[in-house]
DNA sequence: CGTAGTGTTGAGTCAAGTCAATGGTTGTGG
DNA sequence: CCACAACCATTGACTTGACTCAACACTACG
């Protein structure tokens, strides 16, 4: 059974950041890689531990989070398929946050030394890694703004807009929405709210016809209306090239 | 008047991230550079604009911030001397946030094309840039946790701990404190609080003997006590090598 | 078919925000 | 050097958005 290469989707993404030569691509595809399935809640990265491998998400979703000493949690990022989990720590001694699977999924595991080596030999690849990190950092900045200066309703709407857009770009979107199964507790951790308040906020958006819910699927009947509530401006996503032909702003 | 090279401090920092060869260092020092003084509030980077230069802070402080559409502001980072302002956008089309001088200071201006070129030719420099960015991103993650899951008092204490430590490492610390002249409004923007609440929170810390204030200088009489209140854990700063011999944790 | 996690809702509380007034500081120009 | 203007810090009184606590329903799963 020889399906597509486990790194194919990731490579395509890197190639969309900077044009990679044939040999650059070959170098990526030749990296020693282990593929493995992981259940939900599997811890991929553990705070405080040295890191030797970098996972690339082949399928499923993952979340980055940090905890305060009294146990409160803040989700600081959502990883979608074709995202690399650990490029953020490529040159750091140990992890400063945790990453875990949100859903079951498959990982392609790479060795940090191999990645550093290939980046050192091939400037275009080093650049692609940098862009990968810079794009994620840009999202992090927006999240900080979101949590620190927007009220709950807008904060929620903003997160939903972002995820709908990111899923849509990957072709993961349910029509006019997305399907990232996360609990209201998890949404709260991503938004700096309690699960109770998430519940009420979601209900408010639903009552106003801005979102529809069905199990864990969130549907967005009118994206531009939700975007207006969220004051959503996609500049921070730095979408380098429209992946599909649709015109969703 | 030939003082030290304008990039000397920055180079020393990059060299502390990865060992740079003599020719790497020479390549940095040979970059075309313009030096200029800037007043407080000078806008270095403007959201939405394409970026062609990267400034390195020679002296003074700067802040990164984003605004919501209704004008609320969130400060998403503080830049100290020897920090590069714009490595974050090195490969992105346009800025997604603003940077401005917090105090008067001097900038060394570099061309983005030159930086990209030197990074492409010299892997060690590309790596140093990556580390530079990764360290700043790690701080951003901690700020998100700070704002989203810590109460005002702890949030404030945490920020003060971080700045005291970072200033100390640079040798900028006033004995047991630091001197970053920022208004309470600005502190609020960095913490997701209003200036009124900042005032009360600072007073609370002062009343408990955890900080002392005098004009704009914040003094920390007992750093470890404040760190306990803040639940401060410096792991996220990834301090690669103790710059001085002191043992402040 | 019980158990544990999650969603939903109500009632009451509290941390932080808002509004507003008063002084203090700084800088600038006459 | 003074006077004004603009900005900033401080404080009190009041409001509110979000949290806490608690009860109950629903779902998934071994």
């Amino acid at each position: 059974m020889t399906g597509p290469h486990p790194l194919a989707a990731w490579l395509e993404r890197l190639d969309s950041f900077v044009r990679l030569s044939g040999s650059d691509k070959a170098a990526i595809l030749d990296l020693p890689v282990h593929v493995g399935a992981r259940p939900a809640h599997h811890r991929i990265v553990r705070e405080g531990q040295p890191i030797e491998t970098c996972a690339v998400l082949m399928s499923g979703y993952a979340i980055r989070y940090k905890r305060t000493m009294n146990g409160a949690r803040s989700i600081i990022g959502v990883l979608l398929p074709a995202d690399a989990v650990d490029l953020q720590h490529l040159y750091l001694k140990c992890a400063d946050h945790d990453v875990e699977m949100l859903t079951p999924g498959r990982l392609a595991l790479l060795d940090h030394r191999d990645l550093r080596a290939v980046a050192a030999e091939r400037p275009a690849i080093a650049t692609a890694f940098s862009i990968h990190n810079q794009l994620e950092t840009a999202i992090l900045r927006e999240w900080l703004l979101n949590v620190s200066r927007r009220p709950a309703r807008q904060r929620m709407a903003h997160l939903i807009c972002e995820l709908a857009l990111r899923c849509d770009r990957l072709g993961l979107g349910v029509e006019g929405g997305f399907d990232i199964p996360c609990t209201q507790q998890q949404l709260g951790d991503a938004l700096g709210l309690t699960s109770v308040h998430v519940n009420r906020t979601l209900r408010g958006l639903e009552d106003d016809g801005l979102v529809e819910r069905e199990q864990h699927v969130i549907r967005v009947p009118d994206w531009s209306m939700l975007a207006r509530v969220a004051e959503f401006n996609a500049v921070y996503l730095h979408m380098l090239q429209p992946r599909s032909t649709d015109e969703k702003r």
Side-chain angles (χ1 to χ4, degrees), chain A residues 135-172:
Chain A
L135 292 175
E136 195 172 339
T137 301
I139 293 176
L140 195 55
R141 286 191 286 264
E142 186 70 28
W143 280 36
L144 182 53
L145 173 65
N146 204 31
V147 165
S148 75
R149 288 303 191 203
R150 285 197 262 253
R153 177 186 170 88
Q154 205 175 6
R155 217 184 280 185
M156 174 74 73
H158 200 280
L159 178 63
I160 292 172
C161 281
E162 178 190 306
L163 291 178
L165 202 47
R166 286 173 64 194
C167 283
D168 182 73
R169 290 289 151 150
L170 288 171
L172 293 169

Side-chain angles (χ1 to χ4, degrees), chain A residues 20-224:
Chain A
L20 298 177
S21 70
S23 71
D24 287 334
K25 292 182 191 178
I28 297 264
L29 295 177
D30 286 348
L31 288 169
V33 57
H34 287 278
V35 173
R38 295 290 184 274
H41 304 297
H42 172 83
R43 201 79 60 85
I44 308 172
V45 176
R46 217 170 271 271
E47 178 175 359
Q49 289 197 346
I51 308 181
E52 272 121 31
T53 70
C54 172
V56 173
L57 213 48
M58 295 170 61
S59 64
Y61 303 97
I63 51 177
R64 285 182 202 282
Y65 62 87
K66 295 190 75 138
R67 288 185 184 282
T68 62
M69 287 181 191
N70 73 9
R73 183 170 86 153
S74 177
I75 292 176
I76 56 180
V78 176
L79 299 167
L80 308 185
D83 278 333
V85 170
D86 240 343
L87 244 30
Q88 291 288 349
H89 289 115
L90 191 55
Y91 299 105
L92 301 181
K93 295 270 190 306
C94 71
D96 56 42
H97 64 277
D98 289 5
V99 182
E100 74 173 37
M101 294 301 294
L102 181 63
T103 65
R106 292 171 73 76
L107 300 180
L109 296 166
L110 301 167
D111 193 291
H112 259 192
R113 267 167 317 193
D114 294 336
L115 288 171
R116 284 194 291 259
V118 80
E121 280 165 29
R122 298 173 173 280
I125 291 180
T127 301
F129 288 176
S130 284
I131 294 174
H132 197 289
N133 280 339
Q134 286 175 19
L135 292 175
E136 195 172 339
T137 301
I139 293 176
L140 195 55
R141 286 191 286 264
E142 186 70 28
W143 280 36
L144 182 53
L145 173 65
N146 204 31
V147 165
S148 75
R149 288 303 191 203
R150 285 197 262 253
R153 177 186 170 88
Q154 205 175 6
R155 217 184 280 185
M156 174 74 73
H158 200 280
L159 178 63
I160 292 172
C161 281
E162 178 190 306
L163 291 178
L165 202 47
R166 286 173 64 194
C167 283
D168 182 73
R169 290 289 151 150
L170 288 171
L172 293 169
V174 179
E175 178 52 45
F178 57 90
D179 180 13
I180 298 182
C182 58
T183 65
Q184 296 184 358
Q185 176 63 57
Q186 288 163 338
L187 280 174
D189 286 344
L191 294 168
L193 300 172
T194 59
S195 61
V196 172
H197 203 59
V198 165
N199 186 288
R200 292 178 172 131
T201 305
L202 268 180
R203 171 151 308 284
L205 291 174
E206 198 177 21
D207 289 348
D208 295 347
L210 292 165
V211 306
E212 291 161 8
R213 285 180 297 161
E214 196 180 319
Q215 302 295 97
H216 283 122
V217 186
I218 290 185
R219 219 174 291 279
V220 182
D222 183 343
W223 194 88
S224 68

